[in-house]
């Protein structure tokens, strides 16, 4: 009886060991399949991104990046320090029309700032860093070479009361709400919209307008997107 018990005990141990080996093998196979699926998914995503990117013409000339002919600048795509186009006359003309139409409707919309050179942005950024610290300044101010104001295509607007100027609360004013709903009709987009902070790299700025032309502005408005997302670039 003792011998029989010993044999049975040994058989149980052997069977248990086989079971562990089989489980390990199955787990390994599962992990391999999972890894393969992840690689396929990543490859599909990469291919999709490449396809989207290939739909846009990205060129660089004299250090300036253009996407579908539009000057592009953000925290990852710099402008050269000697790039100084001045204020774009077409963009300013459309801004004047926008402001005038808003005022005809009884709104107190006014121009606040426009073109800034590389050196002007450099000094402004340094002032903000000295006042609020670099981490805070980076949320609302561009480093030199990364500001859209240097393109001559961006403008800041405000109101006669000035209470909400350069504050997120401007978006809740009559002027801010009108801008959000009608800027695209004049070829402008709200460059740093609410909820897109992680994509644009800046806080919500309902006062900052970027001229891109009526066609693109209408598209971006309807899609509720950003230049980074639309161009699939600079994210």
């Amino acid at each position: 009886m003792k011998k029989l018990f010993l044999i049975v005990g040994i058989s149980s141990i052997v069977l248990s060991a086989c079971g562990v080996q089989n489980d390990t093998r199955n787990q390994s196979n599962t992990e391999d399949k999972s890894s393969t699926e992840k690689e396929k998914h990543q490859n599909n995503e990469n291919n999709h991104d490449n396809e989207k990117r290939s739909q846009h013409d990205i060129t660089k000339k004299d250090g300036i990046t253009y996407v579908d002919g539009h000057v592009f600048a953000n925290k990852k795509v710099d402008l050269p320090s000697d790039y100084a186009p001045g204020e774009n006359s077409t963009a300013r003309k459309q801004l004047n029309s926008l402001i005038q139409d808003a005022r005809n409707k009884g709104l107190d919309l006014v121009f606040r700032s426009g073109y800034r050179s590389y050196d002007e942005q450099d000094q402004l950024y340094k002032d903000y860093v000295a006042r609020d610290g670099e981490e805070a300044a980076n949320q609302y101010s561009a480093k030199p070479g990364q500001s859209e104001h240097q393109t001559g295509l961006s403008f800041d607007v405000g109101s006669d009361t000035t209470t909400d100027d350069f504050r997120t609360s401007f978006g809740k004013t009559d002027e801010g709400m009108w801008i959000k709903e009608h800027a695209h009709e004049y070829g402008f987009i709200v460059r740093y919209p609410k909820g897109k902070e992680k994509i644009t790299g800046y806080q919500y700025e309902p006062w900052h307008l970027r001229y891109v032309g009526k066609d693109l502005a209408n598209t971006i408005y309807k899609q509720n997107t950003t230049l980074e997302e639309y161009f699939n670039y600079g994210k």
Side-chain angles (χ1 to χ4, degrees):
M1 290 296 291
K2 289 182 179 179
K3 291 182 178 179
L4 180 60
F5 176 77
L6 181 60
I7 292 172
V8 172
I10 292 172
S11 298
S12 298
I13 293 172
V14 173
L15 289 174
S16 296
C18 290
V20 171
Q21 290 174 348
N22 286 334
D23 287 344
T24 302
R25 188 180 297 112
N26 290 335
Q27 182 180 359
S28 177
N29 290 336
T30 302
E31 289 176 349
D32 288 343
K33 290 180 180 179
S34 177
S35 178
T36 301
E37 290 299 321
K38 287 181 180 178
E39 289 178 0
K40 287 182 179 179
H41 180 69
Q42 185 62 50
N43 288 335
N44 288 336
E45 285 189 341
N46 290 338
N47 289 336
H48 181 61
D49 286 344
N50 289 334
E51 287 176 4
K52 287 176 65 179
R53 183 168 295 179
S54 67
Q55 296 174 4
H56 300 284
D57 180 23
I58 302 171
T59 59
K60 196 164 186 175
K61 183 179 180 181
D62 298 327
I64 307 160
T65 300
Y66 299 87
V67 185
D68 294 347
H70 298 275
V71 178
F72 189 90
N74 69 3
K75 287 189 174 184
K76 296 182 179 179
V77 182
D78 289 14
L79 294 168
S81 59
D82 60 351
Y83 179 60
E87 186 177 79
N88 183 281
S89 59
T90 300
R92 183 55 189 263
K93 182 179 179 180
Q94 287 301 105
L95 180 74
N96 291 342
S97 295
L98 179 153
I99 290 175
Q100 187 58 56
D101 287 350
R103 296 185 74 85
N104 289 342
K105 296 181 182 298
L107 299 173
D108 293 327
L109 194 65
V110 295
F111 167 84
R112 285 294 177 222
S113 67
Y115 170 74
R116 286 198 293 269
S117 69
Y118 181 98
D119 290 338
E120 288 173 325
Q121 186 64 36
D122 184 31
Q123 186 57 56
L124 188 64
Y125 176 75
K126 287 177 179 176
D127 290 343
Y128 287 141
V129 170
R131 186 188 71 184
D132 299 326
E134 185 173 0
E135 184 176 354
N138 286 339
Q139 301 303 310
Y140 63 82
S141 180
K143 294 179 180 179
Q146 298 178 358
S147 173
E148 283 205 327
H149 284 283
Q150 191 182 343
T151 69
L153 295 164
S154 287
F155 305 92
D156 294 327
V157 294
S159 64
D160 280 334
T161 57
T162 73
T163 305
D164 298 294
D165 282 5
F166 300 104
R167 299 175 182 271
T168 57
S169 57
F170 178 76
K172 296 181 179 180
T173 65
D174 291 340
E175 290 77 16
M177 289 187 288
W178 191 86
I179 283 291
K180 181 180 179 180
E181 294 300 322
H182 298 282
H184 64 282
E185 297 170 5
Y186 301 82
F188 291 95
I189 61 171
V190 175
R191 183 63 177 90
Y192 307 120
K194 192 173 185 178
K196 302 289 188 176
E197 293 85 354
K198 290 184 178 180
I199 296 172
T200 64
Y202 295 102
Q203 68 174 28
Y204 168 46
E205 294 189 357
W207 63 85
H208 181 107
L209 303 179
R210 161 67 194 262
Y211 184 75
V212 295
K214 292 183 180 180
D215 289 342
L216 181 54
N218 279 321
T219 299
I220 288 178
Y221 172 76
K222 291 177 181 178
Q223 294 181 0
N224 188 31
T225 190
T226 62
L227 283 185
E228 284 83 3
E229 293 171 298
Y230 179 78
F231 289 143
N232 190 36
Y233 185 73
K235 292 188 288 184

